Amino acid sequence: MIRTVESEPHASAPVLAAYSYCEAVTGQQARNFAYGIRLLPTPKRRAMSALYAFSRRVDDIGDGALAAEVKAARLEETRSLLARIRAGTVDEDDTDPVVVALAHTASRFPVPLDALDELIDGVLMDVRGEIYETWDDLKVYCRCVAGAIGRLCLGVFGTEPAARGAERAPEYADTLGLALQLTNILRDVREDALGGRTYLPGDDLAKFGCSVGFAGPLPPADSDFAGLVHFEVRRARALFAEGYRLLPMLDRRSGACVAAMAGIYRRLLDRIEREPEAVLRGRVSLPGREKAYVAVRGLSGLDTRHASRRTVRRRV
């Protein structure tokens, strides 16, 4: 059973400053993530911001305009920071606020730091320009860059002492991460294509006549682009349904956080399903007021209960 720390003793000024920096990074850059973590108590919210800030750094290296060999070297330098945190050699007066905050988080919560190594592995796959021929191939990447984040978050959330089947919580957190990542891939298909990247499985692209890629705002000629999108949406929905089994295992506010983040992505998936070609014209997103509405529903328990009932029906 995964347990967590609900309260923390007084943190030193340098640690609090480090967390403030990470919260600022999260607020500025995490459009969807930030809505969910607002629902958490302060210690968990700070911990989640530290995880986000470190993960953001890794992603930014992968997305930067550096040569591939330079990116790979910088990612390995970032990996070495995890080794320092594991060894307990990070001083609170360290000049890197993200490292200070993450080290404090790792001392307070049972976060699996190995998952951050997996994130780095996933970004290295991007740097190498890997192509995914099958869904099984793509799942490996998704587990690195998103499933790992789900397991890290679970280390902060913890599970309820009386939760049934809590030993499967990391599996469900991982699966929910896959659902979010597949939604991201669908949303960003045009942006990724412009950057020379293709994430959707090659055999799926071939099946729907989309192997030539997405070079313009219209689907490839003679393709069934809508069929491709609807096929991937169904896959993502199945992952969401499985991942939502995590919710009853969490305390109210952690469950609300997960329900809010997942709910935003599910609504995004709904929009993509209704108008598949919109993803070729620009980034599909939700307005801030709708994200806030989803967060409020999560805190009230509406989305959590709805997801739990849906999971029970699927089990039956």
Side-chain angles (χ1 to χ4, degrees):
M1 181 178 298
I2 299 173
R3 296 185 182 277
T4 188
V5 180
E6 295 297 338
S7 61
E8 60 179 334
H10 177 69
S12 67
V15 169
L16 290 176
Y19 276 127
S20 293
Y21 174 85
C22 292
E23 289 189 283
V25 170
T26 304
Q28 292 167 5
Q29 301 189 42
R31 303 171 202 171
N32 297 328
F33 189 80
Y35 276 90
I37 68 172
R38 290 176 186 175
L39 306 177
L40 295 171
T42 299
K44 290 184 179 182
R45 188 184 69 248
R46 287 174 176 164
M48 292 286 280
S49 71
L51 292 174
Y52 177 84
F54 189 90
S55 301
R56 179 77 266 164
R57 177 178 296 182
V58 173
D59 284 343
D60 285 347
I61 293 172
D63 292 336
L66 302 171
E69 60 272 17
V70 177
K71 289 183 180 182
R74 289 192 60 186
L75 287 168
E76 292 305 330
E77 290 171 5
T78 305
R79 197 191 301 273
S80 70
L81 298 177
L82 296 176
R84 288 181 55 207
I85 293 171
R86 289 191 189 93
T89 59
V90 175
D91 187 271
E92 64 180 27
D93 293 320
D94 192 290
T95 57
D96 189 331
V98 176
V99 172
V100 171
L102 184 59
H104 188 267
T105 291
S107 73
R108 299 297 297 154
F109 296 91
V111 290
L113 291 176
D114 289 351
L116 287 171
D117 280 301
E118 292 181 49
L119 173 62
I120 294 172
D121 291 339
V123 174
L124 281 168
M125 294 168 76
D126 276 336
V127 171
R128 293 192 295 266
E130 294 200 17
I131 296 174
Y132 310 101
E133 291 298 332
T134 68
W135 168 236
D136 284 340
D137 294 337
L138 181 59
K139 274 197 297 188
V140 174
Y141 170 76
C142 291
R143 289 193 189 284
C144 285
V145 299
I149 301 302
R151 284 177 269 121
L152 284 162
C153 293
L154 182 63
V156 174
F157 296 147
T159 54
E160 287 288 83
R164 295 179 58 186
E167 69 280 357
R168 298 191 65 183
E171 172 190 337
Y172 296 142
D174 184 279
T175 300
L176 200 52
L178 264 65
L180 269 59
Q181 185 62 24
L182 183 53
T183 304
N184 271 338
I185 288 171
L186 287 172
R187 179 195 64 189
D188 297 339
V189 65
R190 167 75 169 153
E191 181 179 327
D192 290 333
L194 292 174
R197 294 176 178 174
T198 300
Y199 290 100
L200 291 173
D203 56 3
D204 292 353
L205 295 173
K207 179 179 178 180
F208 293 95
C210 296
S211 296
V212 297
F214 310 102
L218 297 175
D222 301 320
S223 70
D224 181 11
F225 181 73
L228 170 66
V229 170
H230 291 153
F231 178 80
E232 303 298 348
V233 165
R234 288 193 296 273
R235 176 176 278 157
R237 290 197 192 285
L239 293 168
F240 272 115
E242 180 73 8
Y244 267 133
R245 295 186 181 188
L246 174 66
L247 293 180
M249 302 176 183
L250 306 177
D251 66 77
R252 177 175 173 267
R253 291 177 72 174
S254 295
C257 174
V258 174
M261 288 190 287
I264 288 170
Y265 277 86
R266 282 182 62 88
R267 284 172 177 257
L268 191 60
L269 198 64
D270 290 341
R271 290 198 171 198
I272 294 171
E273 182 180 37
R274 287 195 299 268
E275 192 178 359
E277 291 187 18
V279 300
L280 297 178
R281 298 193 294 269
R283 175 173 286 228
V284 177
S285 62
L286 302 183
R289 63 181 180 277
E290 188 169 352
K291 294 178 182 179
Y293 170 72
V294 174
V296 170
R297 281 179 61 89
L299 187 59
S300 68
L302 291 175
D303 280 354
T304 304
R305 290 194 297 271
H306 180 63
S308 298
R309 288 196 299 270
R310 182 165 55 246
T311 299
V312 169
R313 288 198 297 272
R314 288 181 182 273
R315 284 175 178 170
V316 173

